[in-house]
Amino acid sequence: MMTKKTISASRASLILFLCQMITALEVPLDPILLKELSQPPTITQQSPKDYIVDPRENIVIQCEAKGKPPPSFSWTRNGTHFDIDKDARVTVKPNSGTLVINIMNGGKAEAYEGVYQCTARNERGAAISNNIVIRPSRSPLWTKEKVEPKHVREGDPLVLHCSPPVGLPPPIIFWMDNSFQRLPQNERVSQGLNGDLYFSNVKPEDTREDYICYARFNHTQTIQQKQPISVKVFSMDSLNETISANLSDTGFYGAKPLTERRPTLLTPVGSTSNKVELRGNVLLLECIAEGLPTPVIRWIKEGGELPINRTFFENFKKTLKIIEVSEADSGKYKCVARNPLGSTHHTITVTVKAAPYWITAPRNLVLSPGEDGTLICRANGNPKPNISWLTNGVPIAIAPEDPSRKVDGDTIIFSDVQERSSAVYQCNASNEYGYLLANAFVNVLAEPPRILTPANKLYQIIANNPALLDCAFFGSPVPEIEWFKGVKGSILHGDLYVFHDNGTLEIPVAQKDSTGTYTCVARNKLGKVQNEVHLEVKDPTMIIKQPEYKIIQKGGQVSFECTIKHDRTLMPTITWLKDNGELPVDERFIIHKDSLAIMNVTDKDDGTYTCVANTTLDSVSASAVLTVVDRPDPPFDLELTDQLERSIQLSWIPGYDNNSPITNFVIEYEDGMREPGVWHYQTEVHGTQTTVQLKLSPYVNYSFRVIAVNEIGRSQPSEASEQYLTKAAKPDENPSGVQGIGSEPDNLVIIWEPLKGFQSNGPGLQYKVSWRQKDVGDEWTSVIVANVSKYIVSGTPTFVPYEIKVQALNDLGYAPEPAEVIGHSGEDLPMVAPGNVQVHIVNSTLAKVHWDPVPLKTVRGHLQGYRIYYWKVQSLSKRRRRHVEKKILTFSGNKTHGMLPGLEPYSSYKLNVRVVNGKGEGPASPDKLFKTPEGVPSSPSFLKISNPTLDSLTLEWGPPTHPNGVLIAYTLKFQPINSTHELGPLIEIRIPANETSLILSNLNYSTRYKFYFYAQTSVGSGSQITEEAVTIMDEAGILPPALGAGKGYSETLFATSPVIHTVHPTFYKVRPVYPRIRNVTASAAETYANISWEYEGPDHVNFYVEYGVAGSKEDWKKEIVNGSRSFFVLKGLTPGTSYKVRVGAEGLSGFVSSEDVFETGPAMASRQVDIATQGWFIGLMCAVALLILILLIVCFIRRNKGGKYPVKEKEDAHADPEIQPMKEDDGTFGEYRSLESDAEDHKPLKKGSRTPSDRTVKKEDSDDSLVDYGEGVNGQFNEDGSFIGQYSGKKEKEPAEGNESSEAPSPVNAMNSFV
């Protein structure tokens, strides 16, 4: 039951008195003031309480004090007065109380051991120092002892005792060998707190003769050495050999084998112990155990947790260290030693005691006469300390009486003090563990007010900040302080101001109107004084453009901006910091007025960059983070686990991601058995994974590496993992791509794709090849072949079906049963030509051919299609002779009709049809003659404008290169162009077909005209040619040159009705801004291939073709295309080989098309006679060459005589107007080419040519599908029937009927009519 406590009346009155006392006066630390005011002594410096001195040096005992007047000093030794003058070795430093004891010249420090105390005294009191205990340092030698060698059995514990000499202070212990190398320590071998060396169990390697314990005495800087200890460890094997060699007792079985044992403690002994530690010290608890295997130590505190942030484990967890211990750390601490055989423990009861420590130390009092005050001295400790008071170094009980003071335990109360009450009081708090001594004076002064702040002091402050105006003062009694603003201002008061006890005036939020002069007035009963100060309020400094967060890739450059605004009377400085420190000294960091630039950024530049703007009054800053990103560092520490026959687990540690998260890891493998140094892709995993289960193949010597990938790129590969060889096994699969084809009419060639690399699953890879004739009932014929890819069966019938299978096997067995495939023996040439060949003319450039199919039995092979050979016999509009160029179209499958596009209008043609199989062509059908109707002509060959006058121009032109019929007239249209490039009215003139020149009169002088000129047949108007020219100015004899004369460029415009004096809009086809190459197709023969493509983009582009063997790692081969045409012939190819091809454009940032793959045809013997070796052909060619030479000479002579008329180059053939644009999904036509010569492929396109948009036949013109259009030599159709082939031509140099031109139409022009 609680009892109610009561307070005595006298105690209550004391508490009330304390509450009503006036606060003591503080003396400002003003040097001038301190010199003028009287002050009791104060100890400022003294030696430590426990002072251990070096016996080889002089003893210096410090005692410094201050006071007014300066104090005098005296000393006591062991409680009695120490007469310094009687000892010649003792002196006092001038103006100090510090003692200097000279023992360097024969003196002994031991003679001056004792307890010293200093007293500093003046007329206002006496202050005393602590009791200073002087003891000289000691570093004694080890006592003489005989150190016996230690012989110990392997596995037993061992303790090597150090037993150092007792020194002052205690020495530091460590163990070393003869070479002064520290002996290695670990969980098994370690040094205890007492300096002994403990072995939990010994091993043979512990044998040595130089275990030396050293004691280092820091105070005297000396090291003492113990005699070396020899340790000999006997292993069980060597011990048994020694015993068996020296004893023959059959009943002796030798030393017992090394046995494991549970732990026991070497120190401390027993199960419990006690430990006392003082508050604030370091608590060290130790447990060292022996056992086999070596025990592990663990610490716990019973009933609580070990203190966080103050607990440390040392000496391999054998020592528990707790710093700054307090009473709360008292309790029971248990150490547990454990190994696989068991455990043991020891409990240490810790008690924390405390020497006295201050709660409230007494403080100096400065009072004016008649004031009251208190000195309080409160301390704590364990046990509770005793408080005693002294005055001027004398116990207060025997000191002179002072009626103004009253002692109440730990408090002295002063009331109505007078100047004689000044004194120094000492408070002593002590218990059995130590003591505290504090001096505090009471100084009674009577002083008029003084203001210590300098007069007219200027304060500058930033707006919206507090302004503190000082008015440091002193006076006794304490003066009253008042503040005024301005010369005649009233006293300041109210919420706008804060008045501090030290006299400071605070304006919490200073504004611009706070600027002015402020007056401080201090007064007490002894006088009055005042002082003026000045305040200026400035605009704040602001950062109006702050640096921003940046992410930059390593190697780049970055800039941070920092723009400031400030008060015009302040001069700011801008400083840049990195991570709150100075910028690195590096020329890559460039500081401008308002920015910081970092060039060639490295990963070390990552961090926070701060712009600091400083003035004399304020400082503002703004920060931004720079994150430097880069490819990740490579992974490391690759480890293979869970190793099975067909799988393994790979784990790794990711490298640093360089501030860009890792998105995925790529795992690659190397087959060290077959392809050492070649790495292959295995798999990839998400960037958060660090392990992966990998599927393996048999009989592969694997090693792995990992590549990290982030948004920046791929890391360098990791170091390779260890190698792992999987066991061999039977093959899991059979070869793919099994085919049966005949290379000759009497054989069957069985080919397959061999197993690659580790698909063999083991050594000795072979193939079992089996075949039998289909639907005959024969048994399988089998043969085992080596690791090849082909087997030839001879003596087979021509083109019969066979069942074929190929099975893999190795030294461990066969692969699973393979699937059967159907092949055929060799083909022979077809025997019969197609019959009933009919030709239907669709329009002037297109014809449809019909024929009857041949019987399949006569094909004697795989029916590949029908091939039409056709050639132009003569042009009906020209009677000149020309060489013949045969063209070929192939139609895949069992077709009975096909379309012949690209014919020349108004011409005679012949054709024949042949059936084609895998071996070649059959006999040709009889030649069929057909004629094409008229078409529209090409553009005139040239248009020349000359002889400009004031009002006339002369026009001359050449007929179309390809009239495509009978010309009936020419049409000329022209219109003026003004200075703003606007076109005037269009005028049209019709000119007879036999005219070649015209003079235009009645034109405006000095005017530019644009002319449009084209020819006409009965079918319609052809392509037009345009030119511009200017009539001369009305000046004497000045003739401007003709513009565009002889250029001969043409523009293809939309056709319009011939209406005179009307303006026709001009339409232009705009090329795409971004280039595109598409529809790359290849038509291949045995040793060459036609490559064609479609291009959209800027004009005047040079193309190139790159090709290589499909699946090969060799570099691409590059061929430059002459001009900007869209086809090319690759020569010198290998028969029966797959090639990859792509097309690119020069100067278009490396733009290339997608890849296409084609295969050249198998090699076959030519069945045609090379006419180039025939005598009659050689003679004919010589005659033709001579005739051409004569014609060239005649043309040259006529040109020089007849004037300078530029001959325009041959124009491209104009497309048939009946052929309309084709949709892309309907297919496109390829190109014509020659079978005998590829020289035409390298001719440049004609100047001014334009590719017509006409690409297909209008549906109303033909009901035939696109499958009726033929291919090139090896062309084919898509599955949906769309045509993907190309044209090819066969050119035979033989005379043709009629008077045809000797120059054949360009195959390029024919192609341009449809592409």
Side-chain angles (χ1 to χ4, degrees):
M1 183 175 177
M2 298 180 61
T3 59
K4 194 173 185 179
K5 298 183 178 180
T6 59
I7 302 176
S8 63
S10 61
R11 188 70 174 173
S13 62
L14 174 62
I15 294 174
L16 181 62
F17 175 79
L18 291 174
C19 293
Q20 295 175 345
M21 285 193 309
I22 301 174
T23 303
L25 178 65
E26 295 285 346
V27 178
L29 298 178
D30 183 84
I32 299 176
L33 178 64
L34 293 177
K35 287 182 180 179
E36 297 177 356
L37 297 179
S38 298
Q39 183 178 328
T42 300
I43 300 292
T44 58
Q45 192 173 1
Q46 56 183 320
S47 294
K49 294 178 183 179
D50 190 5
Y51 188 18
I52 299 175
V53 299
D54 190 337
R56 300 168 298 180
E57 297 179 354
N58 291 338
I59 301 173
V60 177
I61 310 175
Q62 290 186 328
C63 181
E64 303 291 341
K66 65 178 181 179
K68 179 68 177 180
S72 60
F73 298 90
S74 62
W75 285 87
T76 61
R77 179 183 174 190
N78 298 327
T80 61
H81 178 68
F82 183 37
D83 193 347
I84 297 171
D85 297 332
K86 292 184 178 181
D87 192 333
R89 294 186 178 276
V90 181
T91 58
V92 180
K93 288 186 177 181
N95 302 317
S96 168
T98 298
L99 294 182
V100 179
I101 303 175
N102 187 358
I103 61 172
M104 300 287 288
N105 299 319
K108 292 186 177 181
E110 291 80 359
Y112 292 93
E113 288 190 65
V115 180
Y116 293 79
Q117 189 174 41
C118 169
T119 300
R121 186 186 308 275
N122 68 9
E123 62 188 26
R124 287 194 168 250
I128 61 176
S129 70
N130 292 323
N131 287 330
I132 303 172
V133 180
I134 301 296
R135 293 185 296 170
S137 167
R138 296 183 179 87
S139 53
L141 300 176
W142 252 286
T143 57
K144 295 290 185 180
E145 60 176 331
K146 183 178 181 181
V147 179
E148 297 292 339
K150 303 287 186 180
H151 298 276
V152 61
R153 187 175 62 172
E154 181 183 1
D156 287 352
L158 174 65
V159 180
L160 300 182
H161 297 286
C162 181
S163 305
V166 178
L168 185 69
I172 297 173
I173 306 300
F174 51 94
W175 289 81
M176 297 173 62
D177 58 16
N178 275 332
S179 302
F180 297 100
Q181 299 296 318
R182 286 187 178 269
L183 296 176
Q185 299 187 23
N186 48 44
E187 290 87 350
R188 186 177 62 86
V189 182
S190 60
Q191 177 183 317
L193 294 176
N194 62 356
D196 293 345
L197 190 63
Y198 293 86
F199 295 77
S200 295
N201 50 79
V202 295
K203 294 183 178 181
E205 57 261 31
D206 295 328
T207 298
R208 63 189 308 151
E209 297 180 352
D210 56 351
Y211 286 94
I212 306 173
C213 180
Y214 288 87
R216 183 174 68 208
F217 298 90
N218 283 344
H219 217 78
T220 58
Q221 297 296 311
T222 58
I223 296 177
Q224 304 291 351
Q225 174 184 334
K226 186 182 177 76
Q227 289 294 323
I229 302 174
S230 175
V231 173
K232 176 68 174 178
V233 179
F234 294 97
S235 66
M236 292 299 97
D237 294 339
S238 62
L239 188 58
N240 284 333
E241 290 174 3
T242 303
I243 293 174
S244 62
N246 294 293
L247 298 177
S248 59
D249 188 351
T250 57
F252 185 77
Y253 294 96
K256 294 182 180 180
L258 190 64
T259 58
E260 297 181 341
R261 62 185 182 279
R262 62 181 295 166
T264 59
L265 289 175
L266 297 175
T267 183
V269 296
S271 60
T272 61
S273 60
N274 297 303
K275 173 78 171 181
V276 176
E277 191 56 80
L278 292 182
R279 177 181 181 272
N281 288 353
V282 176
L283 173 65
L284 294 173
L285 304 179
E286 180 182 55
C287 276
I288 301 178
E290 63 91 9
L292 190 66
T294 303
V296 177
I297 305 297
R298 185 170 63 93
W299 291 91
I300 58 174
K301 182 180 181 182
E302 294 184 357
E305 298 290 335
L306 296 174
I308 301 175
N309 300 329
R310 294 191 294 114
T311 302
F312 304 92
F313 298 100
E314 297 179 344
N315 198 20
F316 310 100
K317 291 193 175 181
K318 299 174 185 180
T319 302
L320 172 65
K321 177 181 178 181
I322 302 177
I323 62 174
E324 298 178 1
V325 295
S326 64
E327 288 85 345
D329 296 322
S330 297
K332 294 184 177 182
Y333 293 81
K334 180 187 287 186
C335 68
V336 180
R338 185 184 302 276
N339 71 4
L341 276 70
S343 64
T344 186
H345 69 272
H346 183 90
T347 302
I348 306 173
T349 302
V350 174
T351 303
V352 178
K353 298 290 185 178
Y357 56 91
W358 290 118
I359 295 176
T360 304
R363 299 179 60 189
N364 295 331
L365 280 179
V366 178
L367 302 174
S368 60
E371 288 185 334
D372 302 331
T374 59
L375 287 178
I376 300 174
C377 178
R378 290 178 185 159
N380 201 0
N382 188 9
K384 183 80 173 174
N386 179 51
I387 303 295
S388 61
W389 287 95
L390 297 86
T391 179
N392 295 327
V394 178
I396 201 165
I398 60 174
E401 287 288 335
D402 184 350
S404 64
R405 73 171 179 244
K406 180 179 180 180
V407 179
D408 185 11
D410 58 7
T411 303
I412 300 179
I413 303 170
F414 297 93
S415 57
D416 193 21
V417 296
Q418 303 300 320
E419 287 199 38
R420 63 177 180 275
S421 301
S422 296
V424 181
Y425 292 84
Q426 291 81 33
C427 173
N428 185 300
S430 60
N431 64 11
E432 59 186 282
Y433 297 105
Y435 74 93
L436 292 173
L437 177 69
N439 291 279
F441 63 71
V442 176
N443 194 13
V444 182
L445 298 173
E447 293 289 334
R450 304 186 190 190
I451 294 180
L452 307 179
T453 300
N456 296 312
K457 184 175 181 179
L458 175 63
Y459 292 90
Q460 293 180 325
I461 200 71
I462 297 296
N464 300 317
N465 286 308
L468 298 174
L469 308 182
D470 293 334
C471 183
F473 65 91
F474 179 75
S476 185
V478 178
E480 294 180 359
I481 301 298
E482 293 176 336
W483 280 93
F484 300 86
K485 182 180 180 183
V487 180
K488 298 181 179 179
S490 58
I491 187 171
L492 298 180
H493 57 79
D495 298 335
L496 297 179
Y497 305 96
V498 177
F499 302 95
H500 294 272
D501 292 339
N502 63 356
T504 297
L505 170 65
E506 177 181 355
I507 305 174
V509 182
Q511 301 295 335
K512 280 287 199 176
D513 57 5
S514 301
T515 299
T517 300
Y518 291 81
T519 303
C520 165
V521 178
R523 59 165 61 89
N524 67 7
K525 61 183 179 181
L526 300 179
K528 169 187 171 183
V529 68
Q530 69 179 34
N531 186 37
E532 289 184 351
V533 295
H534 307 282
L535 175 64
E536 291 181 357
V537 180
K538 306 289 187 179
D539 291 326
T541 304
M542 295 183 295
I543 298 179
I544 58 177
K545 179 64 175 177
Q546 298 187 357
E548 298 177 348
Y549 174 74
K550 296 290 180 66
I551 298 177
I552 193 71
Q553 187 173 347
K554 183 178 178 181
Q557 64 183 53
V558 67
S559 177
F560 293 104
E561 292 186 69
C562 183
T563 305
I564 67 170
K565 178 183 179 182
H566 59 90
D567 192 282
R568 59 185 181 82
T569 63
L570 301 176
M571 295 301 296
T573 59
I574 296 179
T575 305
W576 287 92
L577 305 176
K578 180 181 184 295
D579 297 329
N580 295 323
E582 294 183 358
L583 286 179
V585 181
D586 193 328
E587 61 184 9
R588 296 181 302 108
F589 290 78
I590 303 173
I591 299 177
H592 300 288
K593 178 183 178 182
D594 296 325
S595 64
L596 167 67
I598 308 174
M599 316 301 291
N600 191 21
V601 173
T602 69
D603 49 7
K604 293 183 180 179
D605 299 332
D606 195 275
T608 301
Y609 289 83
T610 304
C611 164
V612 182
N614 290 302
T615 67
T616 55
L617 299 183
D618 64 347
S619 176
V620 291
S621 65
S623 299
V625 175
L626 172 62
T627 301
V628 180
V629 296
D630 198 8
R631 299 183 300 170
D633 293 342
F636 58 94
D637 282 356
L638 271 65
E639 183 179 6
L640 298 177
T641 56
D642 298 344
Q643 299 174 353
L644 303 175
E645 289 187 4
R646 293 295 183 101
S647 69
I648 198 169
Q649 180 170 287
L650 172 67
S651 60
W652 62 89
I653 298 176
Y656 180 51
D657 63 7
N658 288 313
N659 298 318
S660 180
I662 296 174
T663 57
N664 58 297
F665 292 100
V666 177
I667 293 88
E668 297 180 339
Y669 72 91
E670 174 197 37
D671 182 2
M673 184 186 306
R674 299 175 182 85
E675 295 180 293
V678 179
W679 291 91
H680 303 275
Y681 173 85
Q682 172 89 5
T683 186
E684 60 184 89
V685 297
H686 193 268
T688 57
Q689 283 186 239
T690 57
T691 61
V692 64
Q693 197 76 21
L694 301 176
K695 294 182 179 180
L696 307 180
S697 296
Y699 200 55
V700 179
N701 192 13
Y702 282 101
S703 57
F704 301 95
R705 69 184 187 184
V706 183
I707 299 171
V709 183
N710 63 10
E711 289 186 356
I712 309 305
R714 295 162 62 101
S715 72
Q716 292 294 319
S718 68
E719 295 291 332
S721 69
E722 59 180 307
Q723 291 188 334
Y724 178 62
L725 178 62
T726 54
K727 294 181 179 179
K730 296 184 294 183
D732 294 326
E733 53 188 310
N734 288 303
S736 60
V738 178
Q739 298 181 50
I741 56 176
S743 61
E744 297 295 336
D746 60 347
N747 73 5
L748 171 66
V749 180
I750 303 173
I751 60 174
W752 60 89
E753 186 71 28
L755 298 183
K756 297 180 180 178
F758 49 72
Q759 289 178 314
S760 64
N761 284 5
L765 177 64
Q766 293 178 301
Y767 299 100
K768 179 182 178 182
V769 183
S770 304
W771 68 92
R772 68 180 178 186
Q773 190 170 339
K774 189 175 183 295
D775 300 330
V776 176
D778 290 349
E779 295 294 328
W780 288 97
T781 302
S782 299
V783 63
I784 294 179
V785 298
N787 186 12
V788 295
S789 62
K790 180 172 70 173
Y791 182 76
I792 301 177
V793 181
S794 301
T796 63
T798 300
F799 195 67
V800 295
Y802 278 85
E803 294 177 320
I804 304 167
K805 57 183 179 180
V806 180
Q807 185 177 21
L809 67 150
N810 62 18
D811 292 350
L812 280 81
Y814 285 85
E817 186 66 22
E820 299 175 9
V821 298
I822 304 298
H824 287 79
S825 57
E827 301 178 68
D828 206 345
L829 293 176
M831 296 186 296
V832 178
N836 193 24
V837 177
Q838 300 293 329
V839 180
H840 170 66
I841 304 300
V842 178
N843 58 40
S844 62
T845 61
L846 183 66
K848 185 174 184 179
V849 184
H850 292 265
W851 62 88
D852 291 341
V854 301
L856 291 178
K857 289 184 179 181
T858 66
V859 176
R860 299 200 294 179
H862 294 285
L863 176 62
Q864 293 188 354
Y866 290 86
R867 188 167 294 162
I868 299 178
Y869 283 73
Y870 65 103
W871 61 96
K872 181 180 175 182
V873 177
Q874 71 176 33
S875 173
L876 299 179
S877 61
K878 300 178 182 179
R879 297 300 175 185
R880 289 173 294 176
R881 299 179 60 84
R882 58 179 301 277
H883 66 270
V884 175
E885 180 183 4
K886 286 190 176 181
K887 299 180 176 62
I888 302 173
L889 280 178
T890 300
F891 298 88
S892 297
N894 195 12
K895 297 290 190 326
T896 60
H897 61 273
M899 305 296 289
L900 297 184
L903 303 177
E904 290 188 19
Y906 206 50
S907 300
S908 294
Y909 280 87
K910 284 185 180 181
L911 64 81
N912 58 52
V913 184
R914 309 175 193 189
V915 66
V916 182
N917 66 9
K919 189 69 173 177
E921 300 175 351
S925 67
D927 291 348
K928 186 74 175 179
L929 178 67
F930 66 95
K931 298 179 180 180
T932 56
E934 282 188 274
V936 295
S938 64
S939 61
S941 57
F942 67 90
L943 174 63
K944 180 181 178 182
I945 304 174
S946 59
N947 301 327
T949 65
L950 288 175
D951 63 350
S952 68
L953 292 168
T954 301
L955 279 68
E956 297 175 283
W957 60 88
T961 306
H962 300 284
N964 294 334
V966 177
L967 295 182
I968 60 175
Y970 292 100
T971 299
L972 172 67
K973 299 179 182 180
F974 63 96
Q975 57 190 145
I977 306 174
N978 64 15
S979 60
T980 59
H981 303 286
E982 294 176 345
L983 297 175
L986 188 65
I987 302 172
E988 181 175 316
I989 301 175
R990 190 175 178 88
I991 305 170
N994 59 350
E995 295 292 338
T996 59
S997 64
L998 176 69
I999 298 175
L1000 282 179
S1001 303
N1002 300 321
L1003 301 179
N1004 296 328
Y1005 71 90
S1006 187
T1007 301
R1008 178 180 294 274
Y1009 288 88
K1010 185 166 186 178
F1011 298 89
Y1012 312 89
F1013 192 68
Y1014 54 89
Q1016 293 173 295
T1017 64
S1018 60
V1019 176
S1021 301
S1023 301
Q1024 70 180 14
I1025 186 170
T1026 65
E1027 287 290 354
E1028 291 185 11
V1030 182
T1031 56
I1032 66 173
M1033 298 181 355
D1034 189 11
E1035 294 181 10
I1038 300 179
L1039 298 177
L1043 298 180
K1047 289 184 179 178
Y1049 66 90
S1050 65
E1051 296 181 353
T1052 301
L1053 305 180
F1054 288 90
T1056 58
S1057 300
V1059 179
I1060 298 178
H1061 300 294
T1062 59
V1063 178
H1064 292 261
T1066 302
F1067 299 92
Y1068 297 93
K1069 183 176 179 181
V1070 180
R1071 289 286 191 177
V1073 176
Y1074 300 101
R1076 181 170 64 158
I1077 298 176
R1078 61 190 183 95
N1079 291 346
V1080 176
T1081 56
S1083 176
E1086 295 175 17
T1087 60
Y1088 62 90
N1090 292 325
I1091 312 300
S1092 64
W1093 59 90
E1094 293 183 15
Y1095 168 71
E1096 295 180 0
D1099 291 327
H1100 310 299
V1101 173
N1102 293 324
F1103 298 102
Y1104 61 87
V1105 176
E1106 293 182 318
Y1107 69 101
V1109 177
S1112 172
K1113 295 182 179 179
E1114 297 180 358
D1115 293 337
W1116 292 80
K1117 297 179 181 178
K1118 187 173 182 179
E1119 298 287 347
I1120 302 299
V1121 178
N1122 237 342
S1124 58
R1125 61 187 178 182
S1126 57
F1127 68 95
F1128 189 74
V1129 177
L1130 294 177
K1131 301 179 184 178
L1133 305 181
T1134 303
T1137 304
S1138 292
Y1139 286 90
K1140 56 184 178 181
V1141 64
R1142 66 186 183 189
V1143 180
E1146 299 282 2
L1148 292 179
S1149 303
F1151 175 76
V1152 296
S1153 69
S1154 59
E1155 295 181 17
D1156 187 30
V1157 177
F1158 66 90
E1159 184 174 354
T1160 53
M1164 61 179 67
S1166 174
R1167 303 180 63 89
Q1168 298 179 351
V1169 177
D1170 188 0
I1171 63 172
T1173 62
Q1174 303 302 307
W1176 64 268
F1177 180 79
I1178 295 174
L1180 178 63
M1181 290 299 99
C1182 292
V1184 171
L1186 180 60
L1187 179 61
I1188 292 174
L1189 180 61
I1190 295 172
L1191 289 175
L1192 289 175
I1193 294 173
V1194 172
C1195 289
F1196 180 78
I1197 295 172
R1198 291 186 63 186
R1199 174 168 180 162
N1200 287 338
K1201 288 184 176 181
K1204 297 181 180 179
Y1205 291 93
V1207 180
K1208 186 182 181 300
E1209 292 183 282
K1210 185 172 56 180
E1211 294 290 338
D1212 294 343
H1214 185 63
D1216 193 308
E1218 296 178 36
I1219 297 180
Q1220 300 300 320
M1222 175 192 290
K1223 298 181 180 177
E1224 288 189 2
D1225 56 0
D1226 288 337
T1228 58
F1229 290 109
E1231 54 183 309
Y1232 290 101
R1233 63 181 311 282
S1234 170
L1235 288 178
E1236 292 188 358
S1237 172
D1238 289 314
E1240 295 290 338
D1241 293 329
H1242 298 283
K1243 293 180 180 179
L1245 290 176
K1246 308 303 179 184
K1247 286 187 179 179
S1249 66
R1250 293 290 184 268
T1251 300
S1253 61
D1254 310 297
R1255 297 175 184 264
T1256 68
V1257 180
K1258 293 196 301 184
K1259 181 158 183 70
E1260 59 266 28
D1261 290 339
S1262 174
D1263 293 331
D1264 296 303
S1265 68
L1266 287 175
V1267 298
D1268 294 332
Y1269 292 89
E1271 313 167 22
V1273 175
N1274 283 325
Q1276 53 184 302
F1277 290 88
N1278 284 335
E1279 293 179 0
D1280 60 357
S1282 61
F1283 173 71
I1284 60 172
Q1286 297 171 318
Y1287 300 97
S1288 63
K1290 182 174 181 180
K1291 184 164 53 179
E1292 298 180 1
K1293 297 181 179 178
E1294 58 186 26
E1297 297 179 7
N1299 242 350
E1300 293 181 271
S1301 169
S1302 62
E1303 181 179 7
S1306 169
V1308 177
N1309 297 334
M1311 181 276 295
N1312 284 339
S1313 299
F1314 294 94
V1315 178

